[in-house]
Amino acid sequence: MASHKGKEKKEEQVIGLEPQVAEGENVFGVCHIFAPFSDTFIHVTDLSGQETIRRVTGGMKVQSDQDESEPYAAMLAAQDVVPRFKELGVIALHIKLRATGGNRIEPSGSGAQSALRTLARSGMKIRQIEDATLIPFNSTRRKGGHCGR
């Protein structure tokens, strides 16, 4: 019979995805909401912005293409993000809203407000809301030609 002198049982370490924090501390995540007029994108990262936790669009939640930009699709996308937060222990958010921007500055689409309202009603604490729309300082020429429209 062979001896088992060199073999010892090693304990397996369970690696958790949640951050190591003290009891009672808020764990923050960053929720990037991009709402052009054709769709709503919700991209959730950690505080550094390097690790993506979840990425959902309104088009992933509805069947027809014309419903992608509806507030209902944005609400479903935001509801899909919340269980992943609770699984990782994230209870508070920084929110960055972004519209189309550029030289045709327009307000954000209707899905941004609906997604924000859904995140607030789901029990997430919202620390700050920031407008991250790209604004050019000396932009290219607007479309419309010499006479304009």
Side-chain angles (χ1 to χ4, degrees):
M1 298 198 96
S3 62
H4 297 281
K5 291 181 181 177
K7 296 183 180 178
E8 296 178 11
K9 291 186 178 180
K10 294 182 180 178
E11 293 182 20
E12 293 183 19
Q13 294 180 349
V14 178
I15 299 173
L17 297 175
E18 62 274 347
Q20 305 296 325
V21 293
E23 187 68 31
E25 280 189 32
N26 290 339
V27 180
F28 283 93
V30 180
C31 182
H32 305 269
I33 300 175
F34 176 44
F37 285 102
S38 60
D39 204 353
T40 303
F41 300 89
I42 300 175
H43 186 181
V44 180
T45 62
D46 61 346
L47 270 180
S48 66
Q50 294 180 348
E51 187 73 29
T52 296
I53 296 173
R54 189 95 166 111
R55 185 172 51 210
V56 185
T57 66
M60 294 166 65
K61 297 291 155 192
V62 292
Q63 293 295 321
S64 64
D65 292 339
Q66 65 187 11
D67 292 338
E68 289 179 1
S69 62
E70 295 292 320
Y72 178 68
M75 182 186 76
L76 290 178
Q79 285 176 351
D80 193 33
V81 166
V82 174
R84 181 73 174 144
F85 276 138
K86 306 239 173 162
E87 180 182 316
L88 293 176
V90 176
I91 59 171
L93 290 176
H94 296 296
I95 294 179
K96 294 187 177 184
L97 288 174
R98 184 175 159 222
T100 306
N103 60 1
R104 45 186 183 142
I105 296 174
E106 299 166 348
S108 61
S110 59
Q113 294 174 2
S114 177
L116 182 61
R117 189 179 305 120
T118 304
L119 287 173
R121 287 183 180 172
S122 66
M124 304 299 295
K125 295 178 183 177
I126 296 176
R127 173 78 187 270
Q128 72 180 31
I129 301 172
E130 180 184 344
D131 184 19
T133 304
L134 303 174
I135 299 173
F137 289 101
N138 190 5
S139 65
T140 57
R141 192 175 157 128
R142 289 184 66 112
K143 73 174 191 177
H146 176 69
C147 298
R149 292 181 193 237

